[in-house]
Amino acid sequence: MATMLKDEVLVRSQSVVARVVAGETLIVPVRARVGDLASIYSFNGTGSLIWKLLESPRTVEQLAVAVACAYEVEPAQAEQDVTNFVSEMKSVGLVEAPVPAAMAGD
């Protein structure tokens, strides 16, 4: 799973609402056009950095490089931590593979 996830391009889910409150990023999944308040996620600084980077499609490797630079940690450790974090986010539906834009004429 880790190797497959490493090369997979991911982006934020379109089915969530995110806000930064008191320095923490709060994520609320939206189901049937209603916020699921029983499933609010809160990210610390590192999680918030990853969330911000996922505004545009990124691979785990790209995210890990950014985390390693921002927090001065070994690249291997950053990659392991980012892989675990992104895997958890993916399992609860906070990130997904980007949907390709329709080709002109389709």
Side-chain angles (χ1 to χ4, degrees), residues 61-85:
E61 188 172 20
Q62 291 169 325
L63 296 170
V65 168
V67 168
C69 290
Y71 293 98
E72 298 179 7
V73 297
E74 292 295 320
Q77 183 64 53
E79 186 171 318
Q80 180 181 354
D81 293 345
V82 169
T83 297
N84 291 338
F85 182 69

Side-chain angles (χ1 to χ4, degrees), residues 99-106:
V99 177
M103 301 286 281
D106 282 349

Side-chain angles (χ1 to χ4, degrees), residues 28-50:
V28 179
V30 177
R31 292 174 174 76
R33 297 191 300 183
V34 176
D36 181 359
L37 299 180
S39 300
I40 295 176
Y41 300 90
S42 174
F43 296 160
N44 64 12
T46 306
S48 293
L49 171 63
I50 293 169

Side-chain angles (χ1 to χ4, degrees), residues 3-17:
T3 304
M4 188 168 63
L5 185 61
K6 179 180 176 180
D7 298 327
E8 186 176 9
V9 176
L10 298 167
V11 69
R12 295 177 183 178
S13 170
Q14 298 298 306
S15 300
V16 299
V17 175

